[in-house]
Amino acid sequence: MSLRHAVLAALLSGEYSGYQLAKAFDVGVANFWSARPQQLYLELSKLENDGLISGREVVQRTRPNKRLFIVTEAGLAELAHFAAAVSKPSFIRDDLLVKVQAVDHVDAAPVIAQLEQRAAAAAAKVEILDKILRRLRGDLDEETYLSHGSPIGPYLTCLRGRRFEQEHHDWSVRAAALLRDRATRNGHPAPAPDQSR
């Protein structure tokens, strides 16, 4: 997958400015694809040059003018081609896991602290994703939405992101507690958990 396809998929929700697209990535798309705003603006320019999106200028009185982008028929065809292609298996590439792997031979305290920070960040993401899921389904319960609601694609990707972050949180909390307990039993007390989060 490339950023190109992630941007095209995000633009399927409607007409977005670069700023709105960056916000959409920051909130909803970030659970499966991350990009900095500068990358998004550059990609929008490339997609427009390739005819996969079209942009229009919106004149604003009290603010600078903005461009709004929408997917073209060629962009939809590109997404259809992408959707039909075989996906590569996903994999984990996480420097914190390398640190946990080495924890028997290094000071555990900073690793424990980083696990707790990761758990707090994951918990915050779970809250955000829960809000998105509630907004998407409105008054419907989840099973009704999954059976009949629309759009289903963003809901499913958000569900996947929420489950990933919840599992990430739970594993990080447990790993930090286990490492703290082991350090204490071995006579190397680790710092107390950070209660400020």
Side-chain angles (χ1 to χ4, degrees):
M1 179 170 151
S2 66
L3 178 58
R4 150 179 300 235
H5 299 113
V7 170
L8 286 171
L11 287 174
L12 292 175
S13 300
E15 237 181 358
Y16 281 164
S17 67
Y19 175 78
Q20 291 167 320
L21 181 67
K23 287 292 181 192
F25 260 74
D26 190 40
V27 176
V29 180
N31 71 79
F32 61 90
W33 195 268
S34 63
R36 294 185 313 278
Q38 302 89 330
Q39 292 174 296
L40 294 173
Y41 285 107
L42 182 60
E43 195 60 43
L44 284 170
S45 178
K46 291 177 186 176
L47 288 167
E48 189 173 23
N49 288 340
D50 292 344
L52 301 179
I53 62 173
S54 64
R56 68 180 178 92
E57 191 84 9
V58 175
V59 178
Q60 302 184 106
R61 290 185 191 158
T62 58
R63 296 180 179 173
N65 294 346
K66 65 180 179 180
R67 287 186 60 73
L68 294 178
F69 299 94
I70 194 163
V71 178
T72 63
E73 290 298 321
L76 288 172
E78 173 67 22
L79 274 175
H81 178 73
F82 171 72
V86 175
S87 294
K88 296 177 182 176
S90 61
F91 60 91
I92 299 173
R93 187 175 184 166
D94 187 338
D95 65 342
L96 182 54
L97 290 178
V98 175
K99 296 171 185 182
V100 172
Q101 175 78 12
V103 79
D104 295 300
H105 305 281
V106 299
D107 181 8
V111 177
I112 293 167
Q114 290 174 65
L115 284 164
E116 290 169 343
Q117 290 165 359
R118 186 71 66 88
K125 287 181 185 177
V126 166
E127 285 185 36
I128 291 168
L129 293 168
D130 278 342
K131 287 178 186 174
I132 295 169
L133 289 166
R134 283 193 300 271
R135 188 187 77 234
L136 284 171
R137 71 176 177 261
D139 295 333
L140 300 177
D141 63 78
E142 185 159 277
E143 287 309 310
T144 303
Y145 190 87
L146 289 172
S147 296
H148 307 289
S150 184
I152 192 64
Y155 196 87
L156 289 172
T157 57
C158 204
L159 257 187
R160 174 66 181 106
R162 194 225 180 271
R163 289 180 183 168
F164 172 82
E165 294 298 344
Q166 185 64 57
E167 197 281 331
H168 202 86
H169 169 269
D170 296 347
W171 177 85
S172 297
V173 167
R174 182 158 191 243
L178 288 168
L179 291 174
R180 176 174 285 101
D181 182 57
R182 289 171 67 98
T184 302
R185 281 188 286 127
N186 293 331
H188 304 289
D194 186 350
Q195 301 297 328
S196 66
R197 295 184 184 92

